[in-house]
Amino acid sequence: MPPAPPPPDTAIVVNLDEIGLASLPLVGGKAANLGELTRAGFPVPAGVCVTTPAYQQIGRVAGVAGLVEAIAATPAGDVAALTALAGQIRTALLGGEVPREVRVAIAEGYAGLGEQAAVAVRSSATAEDLPLASFAGQQDTYLNVVGEQALLDAVRRCWASLWTDRAVVYRAANGIDPHSVRLAVVIQHMVDAQTAGVLFTADPVTGRRRRAVIDASPGLGEAVVSGAVNPDRLVVDTATGTLLARQVGDKRLAVRPVPGGGVQRVSRSGGGAGEPCMTDEQARALAALGERVEAHYGSPQDIEWAIDATGTIWLTQARAITTVYPLPPAAPRTGEELRVYFCGSLAQGLHRPLTPMGLAAFRLLASSVASQFGFTTADPRRGPAPYAEAGQRFFIDVTPVLRSRPGRALAPRVLDVMEARSAVVLRGLFDETRLAVTHTSWWPFLRRVLHMAARHRFPVRAVHALAAPSAARRAVDRAAVRRRALLRQPGATTPAARLDLAEHALLHQVVPVTPTILPVAAVGFAMLGVAGRLLGPDARPGDLQTVLRGLPHNVTTEMDLALWQLVTRVRADPAAATLLAASDPGSLAGRYRDGDLPPVLQDGLAGFLETYGHRAVAEIDIGLPRWSEDPRHILGVMANYLRLDGADAARAPDAAFARASREAEEMIDRLVRRAARRSRIRGALVRFCLSRTRALAGLRELPKYHMVLTLAGVREQLRQVGAALAGASAIDAAPDVFFLDLSEARAGLAGTDLRRLVAERRDAYDAELRRRHVPRVLLSDGTEPEAAALPAVPTGALTGTAASAGTVTGVARVVLDPVGAVLQPGEILVAPSTDPGWTPLFLTAGGLVMEMGGANSHGAVVAREYGIPAVVGVPGATTRITTGQRITVDGTAGRIGID
């Protein structure tokens, strides 16, 4: 059907074949999808839609504007207040008089469906059936409605259901502005369903594409949708039409229409309840129809369907499956080739999406990494072949690694200490026939590694570090200072030149930081491994972890302790301490920019930001503000530090760090004595190795620190480009430049209006911010191997990787974003992952639990240095643990107990 002009935005009732996805503000998500399906030629029962202007009219009559305003001002966590306000809105809508214009339009629309037609009346909200939040079941549906008066009553109840308790709380939790939601109502012919249910065009648990999962039951689909029945479950491979599985449910209840209107629940406990309710042919036909719907929308779909007495399949609803993760655009669409994608964003401690400019930066950084190993990239702005993006995160195609003998031997071992759960997942793919080893020789790999080692003088740096740790550290510092000066070179005086400088820095100056520093830190950890071999059984569980406590020369620890010292000085000034404790971080930030804080706070914060202002939460994304630009997070952390009683010297972070250092040195002495019992030489070697570990391992954080320093310089260049673009009206405000890539920014400098593109990118970014689950590893067929293989773990039996020895019992605090988070002293921090922007929270934490990470990941290192027990790599920790629960973290055994 050719496109039709959209109905006027004042229409009260429209036909389904007049609307589509572009009509969402007028008709809501459900109706927009039904109209889209109708116009695309899919079998959808005929119907009409009562539009959102009708709801707005009844809202004005009922006078609910003030109550909506009150909901907008209520915190998402205040469920009692939200539900009370929701109840008041429902009462007002149900009691309000429906305007005559609306009543007449509904009656005429109903008459057009036939005399006394039996219809389904369904809510269709504007915040519904969206890509990342389906809002399924949040509003009401009324089936087999017969007669004009019954229809009008059902429509009114649908309007009120926009404000059910569950809908209001759900929207608040997903950050949906209550002012932005409106409700339309779909009125459709009832299908005389013999069988009905739900079809997922991809496996909703594992994410596997082209794997249709069907739940079916006799009668109306309400029995399946509401969860009132154990349905038949069928699985169809839509690529081949093969029925892969059939599980027959007991189906002891059916929902049937009642003559004259309404439905009833009928018991099916007798014969036939356990018989299949659809044939193989019907399942294949339904799966094929679902495949067409998915192709139309371009993403996996959750479809409600019904089969009538003639065997005709009808579609009564379609929406995106919000739980499956999107695939990289280049992922192969056939099942013959399998690619494996590893989430680099998540491995870097970044759960949130990256901004478009952040992704553009990573494409250049990935090209730079490839060049370090001798690979050329056709277009560095697009990234090398292994680089991929999905869900606004960056992934690495590790298929060649898994198909090579060196890759299988080395990659999981590296991940064992950096991201242990991912190592388990990758090893689980070794038996997959489509990932059979095809490269058996070690020589190509060794040749590239040796070339890079020679290029960056790895052996010389390592020997220098081993022989003279202090001199090696000074050399690292001198190299970093030189690199820091590169972005201050003259010549970047025009916006175009600033773009050139930023691009050159990303491609040539950021990545080389790592190979100049990493060998020095690696020697420290290598010496720890040698000491472990020398000690053998003399090293008990947790002993070597204790050696890593309170490591010197860790720039992140030094930053956190510098912040603590600043708070100590502020605490000694009553006026400054009172202001910091009682004021909102936003107002304090404004006063700081105006130079209006008490001197100890103003000067102290300025000094801290002079050294560490280039850091930020999610700092690897150059699209996010640095602390020097927006110090609200730091001010909030400082206020949190004030909650630590200054009189409790033993709990002060600097005292805790010093204590951790003493414990490490005492452990070295004990380990040396144990080794010396077997041999004095062995004891001396153990002491040498562990002393080098203490002298060098703390530099582990330094490569990222200096990379981020360079990224901050790139960001500053781009901020000035943004100012130029805003001045030319190519974008609305300077920060909008970070919702473009470098090529688009150049187009803006040439006169292209980018404001609409920025608005679309912001909307997409805000939507991705609400995504709770990001896969560690994703296959090109959509499968998340971890979800497919993860066994059910009983409550109270969480396990992960032991990261920092010790045991602590305390109250859990689940934190998804550290900005604005308040962690009471002694609470156990439960997080998806962490980067250096999180570590100020560690100073008040009693323990740490992370979904990501390994024994040598960032969070584990910092936890050890502060001497707090930690378990990392715990699948689903942020959902299986809730704030307020008492949990026990055993950082030696890698176990978490939930009281």
Side-chain angles (χ1 to χ4, degrees):
M1 182 180 293
D9 57 13
T10 57
I12 300 300
V13 174
V14 295
N15 291 324
L16 290 183
D17 60 8
E18 297 179 283
I19 58 178
L21 295 180
S23 309
L24 189 145
L26 181 70
V27 300
K30 185 180 283 91
N33 278 323
L34 288 171
E36 184 74 16
L37 291 170
T38 299
R39 296 189 57 76
F42 291 101
V44 176
V48 298
C49 177
V50 184
T51 64
T52 55
Y55 166 77
Q56 291 173 300
Q57 287 194 40
I58 186 65
R60 285 192 291 270
V61 170
V64 300
L67 294 169
V68 174
E69 189 69 37
I71 285 180
T74 302
D78 193 346
V79 175
L82 290 171
T83 55
L85 290 166
Q88 294 178 52
I89 295 179
R90 292 196 302 273
T91 299
L93 290 173
L94 289 171
E97 178 69 23
V98 179
R100 183 179 182 279
E101 176 191 9
V102 175
R103 294 200 310 270
V104 169
I106 291 173
E108 290 176 350
Y110 177 54
L113 297 177
E115 185 176 353
Q116 293 293 99
V119 294
V121 182
R122 301 170 144 208
S123 303
S124 179
T126 51
E128 177 182 62
D129 296 351
L130 304 178
L132 284 181
S134 73
F135 293 75
Q138 298 304 311
Q139 282 80 49
D140 289 346
T141 290
Y142 297 92
L143 301 176
N144 198 39
V145 176
V146 178
E148 185 178 315
Q149 191 56 46
L151 172 62
L152 191 59
D153 180 67
V155 170
R156 185 196 294 271
R157 291 183 181 278
C158 284
W159 284 331
S161 76
L162 183 63
W163 303 99
T164 60
D165 295 349
R166 64 182 182 272
V168 169
V169 172
Y170 189 93
R171 287 196 295 266
N174 281 276
I176 304 297
D177 182 356
H179 296 99
S180 68
V181 296
R182 295 175 298 281
L183 193 97
V185 181
V186 176
I187 303 170
Q188 276 182 293
H189 269 298
M190 278 291 296
V191 176
D192 181 17
Q194 303 302 296
T195 304
V198 176
L199 160 68
F200 297 97
T201 64
D203 190 315
V205 176
T206 68
R208 176 73 177 267
R209 305 305 202 267
R210 309 203 77 182
R211 186 62 55 88
V213 179
I214 301 168
D215 285 348
S217 188
L220 302 179
E222 175 66 15
V224 175
V225 174
S226 66
V229 68
N230 291 321
D232 290 354
R233 169 157 288 199
L234 302 94
V235 181
V236 179
D237 182 340
T238 53
T240 63
T242 304
L243 185 66
L244 300 175
R246 178 194 289 274
Q247 179 181 332
V248 179
D250 55 34
K251 305 180 294 298
R252 295 185 179 278
L253 180 145
V255 178
R256 303 280 190 190
V258 176
V263 297
Q264 63 179 349
R265 296 191 170 201
V266 180
S267 173
R268 302 185 69 253
S269 57
E275 296 296 321
C277 66
M278 70 186 306
T279 65
D280 293 0
E281 290 73 18
Q282 288 174 325
R284 293 190 187 96
L286 178 60
L289 183 59
E291 180 93 336
R292 289 173 48 208
V293 174
E294 177 178 313
H296 178 77
Y297 282 103
S299 66
Q301 298 290 301
D302 169 358
I303 299 169
E304 294 180 21
W305 55 272
I307 300 177
D308 65 18
T310 69
T312 300
I313 300 175
W314 296 93
L315 304 183
T316 58
Q317 189 166 322
R319 55 177 170 255
I321 303 177
T322 59
T323 55
V324 299
Y325 197 82
L327 292 171
R333 299 307 183 200
T334 67
E336 297 176 0
E337 181 183 4
L338 187 68
R339 310 299 296 184
V340 182
Y341 302 101
F342 173 74
C343 187
S345 300
L346 211 54
Q348 285 294 313
L350 190 60
H351 186 271
R352 64 188 292 150
L354 285 105
T355 59
M357 190 64 80
L359 287 169
F362 264 99
R363 291 193 287 273
L364 288 169
L365 293 174
S367 298
S368 181
V369 171
S371 71
Q372 293 294 317
F373 284 94
F375 296 100
T376 58
T377 302
D379 182 356
R381 294 185 185 91
R382 295 175 63 88
Y387 179 88
E389 293 174 4
Q392 298 176 41
R393 281 95 177 166
F394 80 87
F395 286 75
I396 303 166
D397 184 347
V398 295
T399 312
V401 174
L402 294 181
R403 302 200 72 173
S404 77
R405 186 162 294 160
R408 288 194 174 195
L410 298 177
R413 292 183 183 178
V414 172
L415 289 173
D416 280 335
V417 295
M418 301 302 298
E419 216 302 282
R421 184 64 201 170
S422 294
V424 173
V425 174
L426 291 181
R427 286 189 177 102
L429 296 172
F430 285 178
D431 293 333
E432 167 62 55
T433 56
R434 289 174 292 175
L435 296 173
V437 172
T438 55
H439 296 86
T440 58
S441 173
W442 280 77
W443 176 238
F445 168 77
L446 290 174
R447 185 175 64 246
R448 293 185 186 279
V449 171
L450 291 171
H451 174 76
M452 187 171 69
R455 177 182 176 186
H456 292 284
R457 303 169 62 233
F458 279 10
V460 173
R461 295 179 192 276
V463 170
H464 186 208
L466 195 62
S470 297
R473 290 195 302 270
R474 288 194 297 271
V476 166
D477 290 340
R478 287 194 299 271
V481 169
R482 291 195 300 271
R483 190 168 290 106
R484 186 173 188 170
L486 288 174
L487 281 178
R488 297 177 178 174
Q489 59 186 318
T493 56
T494 68
R498 293 188 188 282
L499 281 176
D500 291 341
L501 179 59
E503 186 169 328
H504 182 271
L506 291 168
L507 197 55
H508 299 291
Q509 296 171 9
V510 177
V511 171
V513 171
T514 297
T516 61
I517 300 175
L518 190 61
V520 181
V523 167
F525 285 101
M527 289 296 99
L528 184 69
V530 172
R533 290 293 185 93
L534 289 169
L535 285 161
D538 288 333
R540 298 161 189 164
D543 284 355
L544 292 178
Q545 286 184 7
T546 301
V547 172
L548 295 175
R549 286 186 173 179
L551 280 174
H553 317 301
N554 184 315
V555 67
T556 303
T557 306
E558 291 169 351
M559 175 188 74
D560 294 342
L561 292 176
L563 190 61
W564 169 255
Q565 292 298 333
L566 172 57
V567 172
T568 301
R569 296 195 299 273
V570 170
R571 182 183 280 114
D573 185 315
T578 300
L579 179 66
L580 179 60
S583 302
D584 172 76
S587 65
L588 289 173
R591 292 185 62 175
Y592 169 73
R593 284 189 285 269
D594 294 337
D596 190 34
L597 293 173
V600 65
L601 186 53
Q602 181 76 33
D603 297 341
L605 183 57
F608 177 84
L609 294 178
E610 175 66 25
T611 304
Y612 300 109
H614 65 284
R615 308 221 73 164
V617 174
E619 60 193 2
I620 62 172
D621 184 354
I622 62 172
L624 296 183
R626 311 292 103 170
W627 288 338
S628 57
E629 301 170 51
D630 184 358
R632 286 178 298 173
H633 174 59
I634 288 300
L635 287 162
V637 171
M638 292 173 65
N640 196 41
Y641 284 1
L642 284 179
R643 294 182 173 88
L644 274 177
D645 186 357
D648 187 359
R651 293 190 60 189
D654 49 358
F657 183 78
R659 186 168 57 251
S661 296
R662 288 194 302 272
E663 291 171 355
E665 296 296 342
E666 291 167 359
M667 177 58 68
I668 290 175
D669 289 339
R670 286 198 293 274
L671 293 173
V672 169
R673 285 195 298 270
R674 292 175 198 166
R677 293 191 195 112
R678 289 194 278 166
S679 161
R680 289 179 60 187
I681 294 177
R682 186 182 294 269
L685 288 173
V686 167
R687 183 174 294 281
F688 175 81
C689 291
L690 295 182
S691 69
R692 289 302 185 261
T693 295
R694 297 285 298 169
L696 299 171
L699 298 182
R700 175 207 176 279
E701 295 284 298
L702 204 55
K704 186 173 183 180
Y705 178 87
H706 288 293
M707 289 175 67
V708 170
L709 187 64
T710 309
L711 290 177
V714 171
R715 175 177 168 83
E716 182 56 35
Q717 299 295 329
L718 294 174
R719 287 179 67 200
Q720 296 186 55
V721 172
L725 289 172
S729 298
I731 56 179
D732 288 329
D736 289 348
V737 71
F738 296 106
F739 287 86
L740 306 170
D741 62 25
L742 292 165
S743 298
E744 291 159 352
R746 292 184 191 280
L749 293 176
T752 302
D753 188 336
L754 302 166
R755 288 173 291 188
R756 176 176 292 183
L757 176 62
V758 167
E760 293 172 353
R761 294 266 179 83
R762 281 192 179 276
D763 287 345
Y765 180 80
D766 290 343
E768 273 295 333
L769 282 172
R770 296 197 295 271
R771 189 184 294 279
R772 289 294 303 273
H773 172 68
V774 180
R776 288 175 167 86
V777 177
L778 181 66
L779 305 187
S780 58
D781 64 9
T783 301
E784 294 184 29
E786 186 174 28
L790 189 64
V793 178
T795 302
L798 278 66
T799 60
T801 299
S804 181
T807 302
V808 63
T809 298
V811 174
R813 173 75 61 177
V814 178
V815 179
L816 302 178
D817 186 339
V819 177
V822 175
L823 193 70
Q824 298 296 336
E827 287 185 328
I828 296 170
L829 174 62
V830 182
S833 55
T834 65
D835 67 7
W838 286 70
T839 57
L841 293 176
F842 285 39
L843 288 180
T844 54
L848 172 69
V849 177
M850 289 198 319
E851 291 184 336
M852 296 292 293
N856 199 27
S857 60
H858 164 79
V861 169
V862 178
R864 283 194 297 269
E865 296 189 6
Y866 291 151
I868 60 174
V871 179
V872 301
V874 182
T878 61
T879 55
R880 294 154 69 184
I881 299 172
T882 58
T883 295
Q885 283 183 316
R886 285 188 65 79
I887 65 174
T888 297
V889 178
D890 185 339
T892 304
R895 289 194 297 265
I896 301 158
I898 302 177
D899 294 350

